[in-house]
């Protein structure tokens, strides 16, 4: 898949997830087979740019190209400024969020709430495209609610405004995260425009990825929640799409090594205090489904230092390893 001058290694994209897709996680997913990873969104409110959180979100040191940064807001000129700010800080692609249903986002009439106002969508897209020389991409849902699935109209507006790729989460804003993603609407959007379309929603396995690709005819796939605690899903999907064969699941030692590397990168990126807090949710995700995982999570969530967290995680994996050896 090609976005502007960037040819991606494959057509798999890590979905932007606020509080999850920080630089350590994006880099890990890229190492494990994601062709692109979209960073967490940066508010278009410039008053927030000096904050530690926004500065960290705009930090792309050492990140593999292309570096895509998501922005969010409802004011065309503020969005244009936000795009310029992020390009000045290293963004190589600007992604606009019109797909997030979070209450916080919808209350300020940004995110997927914008889909209701097609004229404003056009104004925002044109202002951002005109503000920067890098490619601009857009992420949407299929519409406002099931009676107002205007995804095709928005997709056409996007193409006419100079958007260079469109990611579609197969749910309306009103659907939240419930029900199965509707891939029919994504297929219709793909038919309606010529820029690359990326399908998103409930892609949880290599087989499902293939089914969505076949059903929608899209150019790329975007994976969010299924990568939490399973960043290797990208190499699994990539391998399956290329060869039709499934890779074996990673062994317990490989999972331990991936998680340990991830923890060290989190500590380095955030410092000890925030790093330990951020690591908790990742440790929980990695240990989900593992034997005695619930007991481990209860205990490790009380660890307050890097040393404690690393020690307890190491011991948990050692215990899993020994159990597997005994069972063999
Ligand atoms: C914790 C979390 C945070 C999210 N934050 C964002 C965000 O900042 N911007 C955005 O466009 N979508 C956001 N999303 C939506 C995802 O990008 C994606 O569209 C959605 O999770 C569906 O894909 P999935 O079924 O593969 O998870 C978020 C989703 C989750 C679970």
């Amino acid at each position: 898949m090609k976005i502007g001058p960037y040819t991606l290694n494959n057509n798999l994209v890590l979905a932007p997830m606020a509080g999850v897709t920080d630089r350590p996680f994006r880099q890990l997913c890229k190492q494990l087979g994601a062709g692109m990873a979209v960073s967490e969104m940066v508010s278009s409110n410039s008053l927030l740019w000096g904050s530690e959180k926004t500065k960290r979100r705009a930090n792309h040191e050492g990140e593999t190209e292309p570096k895509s940064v998501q922005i969010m807001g409802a004011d065309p000129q503020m969005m244009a400024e936000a795009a310029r700010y992020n390009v000045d800080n290293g963004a190589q692609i600007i992604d606009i969020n019109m797909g997030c249903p979070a209450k916080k986002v919808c209350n300020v009439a940004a995110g997927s709430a914008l889909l209701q106002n097609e004229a404003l969508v056009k104004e925002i897209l044109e202002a951002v495209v005109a503000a920067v020389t890098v490619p601009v991409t857009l992420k949407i849902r299929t519409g406002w609610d099931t009676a107002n699935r205007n995804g095709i109209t928005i997709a056409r507006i996007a193409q006419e405004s100079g958007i260079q790729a469109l990611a579609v989460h197969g749910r309306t804003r009103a659907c939240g995260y419930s029900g199965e993603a509707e891939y029919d609407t994504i297929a219709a959007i793909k038919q309606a425009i010529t820029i690359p379309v990326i399908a998103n929603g409930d892609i949880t396995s290599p087989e499902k990825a293939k089914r969505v690709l076949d059903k929608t005819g899209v150019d790329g796939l975007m994976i969010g929640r299924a990568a939490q605690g399973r960043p290797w899903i990208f190499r699994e999907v990539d391998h399956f799409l290329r060869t039709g064969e499934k890779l074996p699941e990673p062994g317990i030692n490989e999972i331990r090594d991936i998680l340990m590397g991830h923890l060290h990168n989190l500590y380095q990126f955030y410092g000890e205090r925030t790093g330990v807090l951020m690591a908790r949710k990742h440790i929980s995700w990695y240990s989900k489904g593992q034997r005695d995982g619930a007991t481990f999570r209860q205990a490790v969530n009380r660890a307050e230092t890097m040393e404690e967290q690393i020690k307890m995680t190491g011991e948990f994996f050692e215990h899993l390893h020994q159990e597997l050896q005994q069972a063999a």
Side-chain angles (χ1 to χ4, degrees):
M1 188 166 54
K2 209 163 177 256
I3 299 180
Y6 300 105
T7 303
L8 308 186
N9 286 339
N10 62 29
N11 59 356
L12 305 177
V13 182
L14 171 66
M17 290 182 282
V20 181
T21 50
D22 51 19
R23 195 187 73 194
F25 191 62
R26 294 197 299 277
Q27 192 60 3
L28 181 58
C29 290
K30 285 177 177 177
Q31 277 160 8
L32 290 170
M36 187 166 78
V38 184
S39 83
E40 304 166 275
M41 63 190 177
V42 173
S43 166
S44 61
N45 181 353
S46 58
L47 294 175
L48 301 174
W49 294 347
S51 77
E52 202 52 39
K53 197 166 168 183
T54 300
K55 276 199 258 176
R56 231 178 358 232
R57 283 187 175 186
N59 176 338
H60 304 284
E61 278 161 37
E63 198 175 338
T64 318
E65 295 189 352
K67 301 167 196 174
S68 168
V69 177
Q70 188 178 68
I71 59 172
M72 183 271 301
D75 180 277
Q77 284 323 309
M78 282 166 77
M79 288 288 276
E81 249 182 78
R84 275 193 291 264
Y85 168 82
N86 280 288
V87 170
D88 288 347
N89 280 279
Q92 294 167 316
I93 294 175
I94 292 292
D95 184 50
I96 298 176
N97 176 9
M98 292 186 189
C100 189
K103 247 209 158 108
K104 199 168 109 192
V105 174
C106 282
N107 281 349
V108 294
S112 49
L114 273 175
L115 298 179
Q116 269 183 318
N117 188 340
E118 291 168 4
L120 183 57
V121 167
K122 187 166 158 44
E123 242 190 281
I124 292 173
L125 300 185
E126 286 177 351
V128 174
V129 168
V132 291
T133 52
V134 305
V136 180
T137 60
L138 174 67
K139 179 160 177 280
I140 62 170
R141 288 191 166 222
T142 51
W144 171 250
D145 57 27
T146 46
N148 296 284
R149 271 199 196 95
N150 59 344
I152 294 183
T153 311
I154 298 284
R156 291 204 172 107
I157 292 173
Q159 178 162 290
E160 283 161 17
S161 306
I163 292 297
Q164 303 212 23
L166 178 73
V168 187
H169 179 187
R171 286 191 177 86
T172 64
R173 186 251 163 202
C175 290
Y177 283 91
S178 61
E180 254 279 271
E182 6 130 14
Y183 303 113
D184 294 347
T185 317
I186 301 181
I189 288 174
K190 169 65 194 163
Q191 287 299 312
I193 56 176
T194 54
I195 57 173
V197 175
I198 301 164
N200 169 237
D202 300 337
I203 300 170
T204 48
S205 67
E207 293 90 339
K208 180 80 186 274
K210 172 102 175 67
R211 279 205 301 279
V212 173
L213 208 51
D214 290 346
K215 181 154 188 178
T216 59
V218 289
D219 307 270
L221 299 173
M222 177 178 271
I223 300 178
R225 288 164 298 170
Q228 295 172 343
R230 294 182 55 84
W232 51 84
I233 190 171
F234 293 101
R235 77 176 177 206
E236 292 179 340
V237 172
D238 181 55
H239 187 82
F240 188 72
L241 293 180
R242 277 189 296 106
T243 66
E245 283 168 16
K246 283 191 74 173
L247 279 178
E249 289 273 317
I252 208 70
N253 287 344
E254 189 184 3
I255 297 178
R256 178 200 59 207
D257 292 347
I258 290 172
L259 171 55
M260 288 297 194
H262 190 174
L263 294 183
H264 284 292
N265 287 334
L266 287 170
Y267 304 146
Q268 203 171 39
F269 187 65
Y270 288 104
E272 174 154 15
R273 214 177 110 73
T274 310
V276 165
L277 292 177
M278 292 302 291
R280 283 186 186 159
K281 61 185 153 199
H282 290 283
I283 295 174
S284 286
W285 288 324
Y286 281 93
S287 65
K288 226 161 97 183
Q290 300 289 1
R291 208 184 156 101
D292 300 327
T295 318
F296 163 64
R297 282 192 290 279
Q298 262 193 351
V300 77
N301 275 340
R302 288 197 288 269
E304 306 240 339
T305 64
M306 301 184 294
E307 282 73 19
E308 265 183 288
Q309 217 170 34
I310 287 283
K311 183 167 173 284
M312 289 168 91
T313 305
E315 284 167 359
F316 174 65
F317 277 92
E318 182 55 32
H319 160 77
L320 290 178
H321 179 71
Q322 283 182 2
E323 290 227 328
L324 280 176
Q325 280 197 323
Q326 274 164 16

